[in-house]
């Protein structure tokens, strides 16, 4: 798998780009949003907890970034209509979308398939897999209006080689890789929209703590430390790179 952890982004790599990040209120999504803003992008912060999105909004403003937009949406309950509306709002406000980071996910439960609760299974598949499909469909028109657009899906090591007890999370990440590949293949002819996936690798966030409660968080890379691959794929240096599965850590 390609890895760009040593990539050094130019100062204004994302100047004038409009980028939407899902799950922008916490963990990797929060840091990705702030990082993209620091490199010049205007952010659309999408997530379910408004207070967290407001905190990220404030941090971006204090750091001197372009004024972001907050888009509260719970991916679990959102329907096709919500995503069509999102696409329309992006079109009206910005005229286009240059970057989309599908980052929000649910871990679900680490438990054998035999004991996996079907309702939780559907919840995880809805947030991790169905929502990114519907969201992408809703904003495709805005992505097509960009001269140079990048879509990034977030995968996981268990989305590339499954492991016991990872249940719906692992299956949803395999589906995410499939979604990325189908979309990349369908859009390759455009020459303007690239579509790739990133496996962040073990990263110091709430989700990781929930999955590995006994682990020392200090032994893990921070979200800030895994940003080079995100920047590489979001910026023009990755033009022409599509349909590939990246690792954020070597
Ligand atoms: N951390 C790791 O070691 C690791 C490893 C491999 C892959 N990943 C992947 O990396 C991505 C980010 O993970 P993370 O560790 O940063 O997780 P996190 O700290 O749990 O953050 C996840 C974000 O997604 C949001 N979210 C969850 N359900 C949502 C919903 N229904 N609607 C809208 N937003 C929702 C959360 O919102 P709230 O803040 O409101 O809860 C939160 O902002 C995920 O796709 C994860 O699968 C992480």
């Amino acid at each position: 798998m390609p890895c760009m952890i040593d990539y050094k982004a130019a100062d204004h790599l994302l100047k004038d780009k409009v980028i939407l990040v899902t799950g922008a209120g916490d963990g990797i999504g929060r840091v990705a949003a702030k990082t993209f803003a620091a490199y010049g992008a205007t952010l659309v912060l999408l997530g379910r907890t408004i207070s967290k999105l407001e905190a990220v909004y404030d941090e971006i403003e204090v750091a001197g970034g372009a004024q972001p937009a907050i888009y509260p949406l719970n991916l679990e309950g959102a329907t096709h209509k919500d995503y069509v509306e999102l696409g329309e709002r992006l079109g009206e406000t910005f005229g286009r979308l240059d970057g989309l980071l599908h980052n929000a996910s649910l871990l679900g439960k680490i438990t054998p398939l035999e004991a996996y609760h079907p309702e939780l299974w559907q919840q995880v598949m809805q947030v991790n897999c169905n929502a990114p499909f519907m969201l992408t469909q809703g904003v495709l028109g805005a992505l097509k209006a960009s001269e140079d657009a990048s879509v990034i899906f977030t995968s996981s090591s268990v989305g590339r080689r499954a492991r016991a007890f990872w249940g719906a999370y692992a299956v949803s990440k395999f589906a995410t890789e499939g979604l990325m590949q189908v979309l990349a293949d369908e859009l390759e002819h455009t020459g303007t929209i690239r579509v790739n996936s990133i496996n962040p690798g073990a990263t110091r966030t709430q989700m990781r703590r929930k999955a590995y409660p006994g682990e020392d968080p200090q032994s893990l890379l921070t979200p800030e430390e895994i940003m080079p691959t995100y920047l590489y794929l979001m910026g023009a240096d990755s033009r022409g790179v599509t349909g590939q599965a990246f690792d954020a850590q070597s």
Side-chain angles (χ1 to χ4, degrees):
M1 304 284 170
C3 173
M4 297 300 292
I5 194 147
D6 294 324
Y7 173 72
K8 297 266 182 293
D11 283 355
H12 302 293
L13 180 79
L14 303 176
K15 190 173 178 300
D16 300 329
K17 296 270 185 194
V18 178
I19 298 177
L20 187 153
V21 176
T22 71
D26 212 338
I28 295 167
R30 169 177 167 269
V31 172
K34 287 169 55 178
T35 304
F36 296 154
Y39 281 86
T42 298
L43 267 294
V44 180
L45 308 169
L46 187 147
R48 65 179 171 180
T49 309
I50 296 174
S51 57
K52 289 187 182 182
L53 298 174
E54 284 172 347
V56 178
Y57 179 106
D58 290 345
E59 286 168 354
I60 289 174
E61 285 231 301
V62 167
Q67 186 181 29
I70 290 181
Y71 205 91
L73 194 67
N74 187 335
L75 300 179
E76 199 185 322
T79 62
H80 174 66
K81 190 169 156 283
D82 295 309
Y83 296 111
V84 170
E85 194 181 321
L86 170 62
E88 287 171 357
R89 294 276 296 280
L90 287 170
E92 284 160 18
T93 312
F94 303 107
R96 68 187 196 283
L97 182 64
D98 305 301
L100 169 58
L101 172 60
H102 288 292
N103 161 83
S105 274
L106 281 184
L107 178 65
K109 204 168 171 192
I110 311 289
T111 191
L113 283 180
E114 194 174 9
Y116 213 101
H117 201 291
E119 231 171 75
L120 181 62
W121 181 280
Q122 288 194 357
Q123 215 178 337
V124 172
M125 295 303 280
Q126 188 66 18
V127 173
N128 297 8
C129 169
N130 299 340
F133 153 64
M134 289 190 284
L135 194 154
T136 306
Q137 205 181 40
V139 305
L140 205 48
L143 287 165
K144 284 182 176 168
S146 167
E147 283 176 3
D148 174 36
S150 174
V151 180
I152 303 174
F153 288 92
T154 306
S155 186
S156 166
S157 52
V158 293
R160 292 174 182 171
R161 175 85 194 115
R163 281 203 302 277
F165 314 132
W166 281 78
Y169 181 82
V171 174
S172 74
K173 294 299 184 179
F174 266 86
T176 297
E177 295 283 6
L179 185 55
M180 178 278 282
Q181 289 180 18
V182 171
L183 189 67
D185 206 27
E186 287 183 5
L187 295 178
E188 199 165 7
H189 73 279
T190 65
T192 56
I193 311 177
R194 57 191 173 282
V195 185
N196 297 282
S197 70
I198 295 181
N199 165 23
T203 310
R204 201 184 305 166
T205 67
Q206 303 283 1
M207 182 186 285
R208 178 74 189 184
R209 197 166 313 152
K210 192 176 160 203
Y212 295 89
E215 184 178 67
D216 176 10
Q218 298 308 318
S219 67
L220 303 171
L221 291 195
T222 62
E224 286 80 358
E225 288 171 309
I226 64 165
M227 283 301 118
T229 308
Y230 287 77
L231 283 167
Y232 168 72
L233 284 178
M234 213 36 109
D237 289 330
S238 60
R239 250 185 155 149
V241 175
T242 197
Q244 292 201 37
F246 281 77
D247 282 330
Q249 301 186 30
S250 45

